[in-house]
Amino acid sequence: MNVFDLNLVRSFVAIYETQSVTAAAQRLSLSQPTVSYALGRMREALADPLFVREQRVLRPTPRAHGLYPRFVDALASVDAALEEPHRFDPATTSRSFSLAMSDIGSMSFLPPLEVRLRPLAPGLRLEIQQVPVDEIINGLAAGKIDAALGHLPTLRGRGRSSLLFRERYVCLVGRRHAQRIGAMSVEHFLASRHVAVSSTFSGHRLAEDVLAELGVVRQIAIDLPYFTALPQLIAQGELVVMLPSRVAATFCAQGEVVMLEAPFKLPEFEVRLYWHPRHEANPALQWLLAQIQSALSGL
């Protein structure tokens, strides 16, 4: 490429991450023909197709795979220089940071994070977003989301991440129901009526997938789109719901519910902090990521 054009690089990175010219154009707030033209220029300059259509998505060629991390690093350096010309001072900042997490994530993450941040940055503002899992990577890349927290395995390999802690699933039941049954046996589990939470904002499908592999069929009595109604709902009768242990412990402290060990061996899962490499050179984001790690690691 005789002349370095940053817009071509941005188009390339957006296509690589979205696997679509249309989605890349939407992310960049450009027209689809503009992004298509940029891709054509790069293909000509690099003598490589860069992306090959497979069904409904554009798959990167080996050359594109090799270019992507170098282009992302270059954009990160440029964006950091443009976005943060001055040293970030948490004590005086009034900046707003956007964090993506589910409603159950906010129960676990926000209390210790607030305790950590408030003495260090009293003027800082946190904006919590519930973003569908399949839209998070685009939000991170576009800078609309500064970081995402949770069990989000589909994001692995599509950005940067670090482990916060490991979690496991337990059963949440009403206190009186727990006193009647003692422990949660396989027989009790199969005979119980269950609550299923189908949230587009949560990556928690591990328990459902493992139960399906074991051939366990639950009697789903209620299907909820969110988690916050669970304590009152579970306390009233003999319903059962499977939850991460830390969230279950929070609910147990609030009402007449208790947690019991699941009668099936379920693997632990990772709760991670996610961000996009394009913005990680930004001093403000570096500071925020460090504070999140300090507040939540080993929670």
Side-chain angles (χ1 to χ4, degrees), residues 78-89:
V78 172
D79 288 343
L82 295 175
E83 293 175 5
E84 199 70 33
H86 305 295
R87 184 177 65 89
F88 175 71
D89 182 4

Side-chain angles (χ1 to χ4, degrees), residues 120-198:
L120 301 174
L124 179 146
R125 175 180 175 180
L126 291 181
E127 177 189 351
I128 307 304
Q129 297 188 44
Q130 287 203 97
V131 181
V133 174
D134 57 1
E135 296 178 14
I136 289 178
I137 191 64
N138 285 341
L140 291 171
K144 296 178 181 178
I145 303 170
D146 292 298
L149 298 87
H151 175 59
L152 305 167
T154 58
L155 267 61
R156 295 293 299 273
R158 303 178 66 189
R160 302 274 200 265
S161 72
S162 63
L163 178 66
L164 293 174
F165 54 84
R166 297 183 183 278
E167 250 290 25
R168 63 189 178 89
Y169 281 99
V170 297
C171 296
L172 189 72
V173 301
R175 186 179 301 278
R176 284 173 292 182
H177 184 45
Q179 291 171 345
R180 285 193 294 270
I181 67 175
M184 179 63 71
S185 66
V186 173
E187 291 74 21
H188 285 315
F189 188 91
L190 295 176
S192 296
R193 297 165 66 244
H194 290 255
V195 178
V197 183
S198 304

Side-chain angles (χ1 to χ4, degrees), residues 7-294:
N7 290 325
L8 298 186
V9 175
R10 292 191 188 280
S11 294
F12 170 90
V13 169
I15 295 171
Y16 186 98
E17 292 175 348
T18 62
Q19 300 182 325
S20 164
V21 169
T22 301
Q26 291 174 346
R27 174 192 290 186
L28 298 170
S29 299
L30 298 173
S31 68
Q32 182 174 337
T34 298
V35 176
S36 295
Y37 175 71
L39 177 57
R41 285 185 60 190
M42 293 199 72
R43 282 170 165 167
E44 181 179 358
L46 297 170
D48 189 273
L50 298 177
F51 301 96
V52 178
R53 182 167 295 281
E54 291 184 7
Q55 297 180 345
R56 296 184 178 182
V57 299
L58 294 176
R59 301 293 186 190
T61 66
R63 182 75 187 280
H65 276 305
L67 289 170
Y68 173 73
R70 288 181 282 175
F71 280 170
V72 167
D73 288 343
L75 287 178
S77 297
V78 172
D79 288 343
L82 295 175
E83 293 175 5
E84 199 70 33
H86 305 295
R87 184 177 65 89
F88 175 71
D89 182 4
T92 60
T93 188
S94 58
R95 176 169 175 158
S96 176
F97 288 100
S98 176
L99 302 179
M101 62 184 75
S102 66
D103 59 339
I104 59 168
S106 66
M107 296 177 193
S108 297
F109 305 143
L110 289 182
L113 191 55
E114 165 70 10
V115 170
R116 174 75 183 182
L117 294 179
R118 209 46 52 203
L120 301 174
L124 179 146
R125 175 180 175 180
L126 291 181
E127 177 189 351
I128 307 304
Q129 297 188 44
Q130 287 203 97
V131 181
V133 174
D134 57 1
E135 296 178 14
I136 289 178
I137 191 64
N138 285 341
L140 291 171
K144 296 178 181 178
I145 303 170
D146 292 298
L149 298 87
H151 175 59
L152 305 167
T154 58
L155 267 61
R156 295 293 299 273
R158 303 178 66 189
R160 302 274 200 265
S161 72
S162 63
L163 178 66
L164 293 174
F165 54 84
R166 297 183 183 278
E167 250 290 25
R168 63 189 178 89
Y169 281 99
V170 297
C171 296
L172 189 72
V173 301
R175 186 179 301 278
R176 284 173 292 182
H177 184 45
Q179 291 171 345
R180 285 193 294 270
I181 67 175
M184 179 63 71
S185 66
V186 173
E187 291 74 21
H188 285 315
F189 188 91
L190 295 176
S192 296
R193 297 165 66 244
H194 290 255
V195 178
V197 183
S198 304
S199 171
T200 59
F201 307 115
S202 172
H204 290 281
R205 287 204 51 85
L206 179 61
E208 287 81 356
D209 293 342
V210 172
L211 292 178
E213 290 175 4
L214 294 173
V216 176
V217 178
R218 292 178 297 170
Q219 301 178 43
I220 304 299
I222 300 176
D223 202 324
L224 284 173
Y226 40 73
F227 295 84
T228 48
L230 289 174
Q232 293 77 16
L233 177 63
I234 297 298
Q236 299 305 314
E238 299 182 352
L239 292 168
V240 178
V241 66
M242 299 192 72
L243 286 175
S245 66
R246 287 164 178 79
V247 177
T250 300
F251 285 152
C252 290
Q254 296 175 355
E256 289 295 310
V257 293
V258 298
M259 58 179 169
L260 302 176
E261 294 297 328
F264 306 97
K265 184 173 179 57
L266 300 173
E268 289 186 338
F269 59 91
E270 294 183 342
V271 175
R272 303 183 73 90
L273 169 64
Y274 298 86
W275 66 95
H276 199 278
R278 181 181 304 165
H279 309 294
E280 65 183 357
N282 185 299
L285 181 59
Q286 288 179 351
W287 180 86
L288 176 66
L289 296 176
Q291 302 313 311
I292 294 174
Q293 284 277 12
S294 296

